[in-house]
Amino acid sequence: MLAVEDQALATSGDYHNFYGVDGVHRSPTIDPRTGRPSPTTSPRSASSSRAMLADGWATALNVLGPDAGLELAT
């Protein structure tokens, strides 16, 4: 649980908006390197006090994948 007072919190990610193809979790985010949906092994999200930052980070993490995304986030 996160207590927030006189602030805002936005979370964005593919934990609600996704679909499966042949047992692979697919994000609706298109990978600009391939032009295809980003395959993911697990849903990822990002939170911020600014909605546009949360959305931008979640998109970047989804496209990069777990290894490169974690490296960028760190």
Side-chain angles (χ1 to χ4, degrees):
M1 180 179 206
L2 178 67
V4 177
E5 185 175 320
D6 295 327
Q7 296 179 22
L9 177 66
T11 299
S12 179
D14 70 345
Y15 49 91
H16 282 287
N17 296 323
F18 65 90
Y19 61 96
V21 175
D22 297 327
V24 177
H25 176 103
R26 297 236 179 230
S27 168
T29 304
I30 301 298
D31 184 335
R33 299 170 295 188
T34 64
R36 299 179 52 84
S38 301
T40 62
T41 54
S42 63
R44 288 176 291 279
S45 64
S47 298
S48 173
S49 61
R50 295 169 51 194
M52 288 191 343
L53 281 178
D55 189 50
W57 273 105
T59 299
L61 296 175
N62 279 319
V63 169
L64 289 173
D67 297 328
L70 179 59
E71 183 178 337
L72 176 64
T74 302

